[in-house]
Amino acid sequence: MTGAMTLPQHLRAILFLGVPLIGGHLAQFAIGLTDTVMLGWYSVEALAAVTLATTLFFVLFIMGAGFGWAVMPMVAQYHAKGDEVMIRRATRMGVWLSLGFAVLVLPLLWFSGPLLQLLGQTEDLSIAAQSYLRITGLGLIPALSVMALKSYLAAMEHTRIVFWITACAAVLNALVNYALIFGNWGAPELGLRGAAVASLVTNSLSLVGVMIYINIVLPQHALFARFWRADTEMLARVFRLGWPISLTNLAEVALFAASAVMMGWLGEVTLAAHGIALQLATAAFMVHLGLSNVATVRAGNAVGRGDMAHLIRGAAAVAGLSIATSLVTVTVFLTVPDLLVSAFIDPEDDRYGAILSVGISLLAMAALFQLVDGAQVVALGLLRGLQDTQVPMIMAGVAYWVIGVPASYVLGFPMGLGGPGIWLGLVMGLAVAGLLMVTRFVLKMRAADLG
């Protein structure tokens, strides 16, 4: 670098890298959103089942994604140093670990019905969710592989292709959903199972698209040549960085899974409303997640160059963008909640009014949620860029499970606040996580400056 970047230069660099990543996350999210919206119009029972099923699927997906996400800071540092051999080694072993995880957890999805019943869900709802997961669960193998390869591409700053492949997959998923859920265009009417088939097809074709792009545009890395050859030393390095990320992801996503289980105790209407509110909150979270990925890449590059001052200025810029996003989201959630919730429900359904009422109250809690969720995920991204993953893992476990889950239960049931109380507990857990993660990053930067 010839000089220090100004704040506007940092913002432009973050947006150049981040907008395609945010678009890619939103497109990935749109795949699940399409399932929710179309199944919500198909039937309330299908909406409740897919809410439960995708919660379990996402728990396992986001946990396995930790090994793929570990690729990002490693490749970013090696890219800054110009070490292409290490880039190839780290990426390959990230894909290996992702594949291994997917194969190990497939039985949990195949036999998910009894597991869901043990968690207090009704037999009919559990059987319906299992029928969905037995099909879409196979898509975990390509989905986690794509995650690792997308992390590699993002670290190499090939973010536009990440967006375009994911956007095309989202469009394909919507078309196949429309055909197979409702029986359009001469296709069979498969309902919930049709949405599962669409997700499986979409994930598989996404993997093919990513692999073709890498072979054509980045042939120097030869990622798939002799792919079967083990690299035990690098496998261990990626695993050491990845398993705390996986457990951190698990701690957070299991917090939301626990909230879905508790919502299920309140009935199908409340669970369906929760699914809608969670989809809307997740859409906003995708922006923060994209900024978090940018933070990881730019922090990894700064560490590779040994430029801590650049890291601190960049961190301030990405945090500012995250705060601005939160303020916009809060405004939308509080001003037009009825418009947002009603988009997910068939107005002819007998339970339309009840779901709308509960959904609006949950969106008020989701507005509070935005103020803290962005802070914690961006700080977490910065820490991952520094390859600091074990202490944040402990912080996440304490915040989500010592504070978040107990607070959700107490507020929702003994205190009688129901669904809004469960969401308020989520807010409390995420707020503590945000405070701990930001404090951790500030302390590490002060130590670096003193050093």
Side-chain angles (χ1 to χ4, degrees):
M1 293 180 60
T2 58
M5 290 176 66
T6 64
L7 179 60
Q9 287 174 326
H10 271 292
L11 291 173
R12 281 195 296 271
I14 290 167
L15 291 173
F16 179 80
L17 183 60
V19 168
L21 286 175
I22 291 168
H25 285 309
L26 286 171
Q28 183 69 46
F29 162 74
I31 295 172
L33 179 64
T34 301
D35 290 355
T36 301
V37 171
M38 290 191 178
L39 288 170
W41 282 82
Y42 187 74
S43 74
V44 171
E45 290 79 10
L47 175 58
V50 79
T51 297
L52 196 62
T54 53
T55 297
L56 178 56
F57 181 90
F58 192 65
V59 166
L60 298 176
F61 171 77
I62 205 69
M63 184 179 180
F67 300 112
W69 286 359
V71 169
M72 194 179 295
M74 297 179 75
V75 170
Q77 287 192 26
Y78 297 141
H79 181 52
K81 297 176 182 178
D83 193 337
E84 295 190 346
V85 172
M86 295 297 283
I87 289 173
R88 177 172 61 249
R89 293 178 63 194
T91 304
R92 278 183 176 176
M93 293 303 100
V95 176
W96 265 50
L97 288 167
S98 299
L99 287 170
F101 178 88
V103 172
L104 284 175
V105 300
L106 274 178
L108 289 177
L109 297 172
W110 189 262
F111 299 106
S112 55
L115 174 62
L116 293 171
Q117 288 186 60
L118 286 174
L119 294 174
Q121 306 305 307
T122 65
E123 182 178 358
D124 289 345
L125 191 60
S126 298
I127 291 173
Q130 178 178 269
S131 71
Y132 178 89
L133 288 169
R134 284 190 168 182
I135 299 171
T136 200
L138 296 173
L140 194 64
I141 295 173
L144 288 177
S145 301
V146 168
M147 181 62 72
L149 294 175
K150 281 182 179 179
S151 295
Y152 153 78
L153 289 170
M156 297 291 294
E157 302 191 11
H158 287 257
T159 55
R160 292 185 181 181
I161 188 60
V162 171
F163 165 72
W164 284 113
I165 288 176
T166 313
C168 289
V171 172
L172 174 65
N173 181 72
L175 293 173
V176 179
N177 261 336
Y178 183 72
L180 295 180
I181 291 176
F182 301 101
N184 291 314
W185 303 326
E189 181 181 339
L190 299 178
L192 192 64
R193 289 183 295 118
V197 171
S199 295
L200 174 59
V201 170
T202 298
N203 284 320
S204 300
L205 291 180
S206 295
L207 177 58
V208 172
V210 171
M211 292 176 66
I212 290 172
Y213 176 85
I214 291 171
N215 275 328
I216 293 174
V217 178
L218 296 164
Q220 68 271 26
H221 292 153
L223 283 184
F224 309 111
R226 296 182 297 278
F227 181 79
W228 59 87
R229 293 183 62 180
D231 182 349
T232 54
E233 191 271 335
M234 180 56 73
L235 185 74
R237 291 175 65 177
V238 177
F239 181 80
R240 283 195 299 271
L241 184 62
W243 74 262
I245 298 177
S246 291
L247 292 184
T248 302
N249 291 346
L250 176 63
E252 181 172 5
V253 76
L255 172 68
F256 292 98
S259 72
V261 170
M262 287 187 276
M263 288 291 185
W265 297 342
L266 296 172
E268 282 188 351
V269 167
T270 304
L271 181 59
H274 170 72
I276 293 169
L278 191 58
Q279 289 286 338
L280 292 167
T282 302
F285 176 75
M286 292 299 104
V287 180
H288 299 294
L289 183 58
L291 292 173
S292 177
N293 293 155
V294 175
T296 298
V297 172
R298 289 177 63 78
N301 282 333
V303 171
R305 296 192 307 269
D307 190 349
M308 290 298 103
H310 177 81
L311 169 59
I312 294 170
R313 289 190 297 270
V318 76
L321 288 172
S322 179
I323 292 170
T325 299
S326 294
L327 293 176
V328 171
T329 306
V330 168
T331 301
V332 173
F333 281 6
L334 293 180
T335 54
V336 289
D338 51 343
L339 182 65
L340 295 172
V341 175
S342 62
F344 290 79
I345 321 167
D346 183 353
E348 301 300 321
D349 193 288
D350 293 339
R351 288 159 290 187
Y352 174 85
I355 294 174
L356 183 63
S357 177
V358 176
I360 289 173
S361 67
L362 294 183
L363 270 191
M365 294 296 102
L368 290 175
F369 176 93
Q370 296 303 311
L371 296 173
V372 295
D373 203 19
Q376 65 95 19
V377 75
V378 168
L380 196 54
L382 289 166
L383 291 170
R384 287 172 180 169
L386 304 179
Q387 299 193 20
D388 179 22
T389 59
Q390 295 193 22
V391 171
M393 172 191 69
I394 297 170
M395 291 177 170
V398 171
Y400 303 149
W401 284 89
V402 176
I403 296 172
V405 170
S408 288
Y409 178 78
V410 170
L411 291 169
F413 296 96
M415 295 189 66
L417 297 180
I422 293 172
W423 269 72
L424 186 56
L426 299 180
V427 172
M428 292 173 63
L430 289 167
V432 172
L435 178 62
L436 293 174
M437 302 293 181
V438 170
T439 301
R440 172 75 175 174
F441 179 74
V442 170
L443 291 176
K444 287 187 74 67
M445 290 304 93
R446 286 181 178 175
D449 283 344
L450 289 173

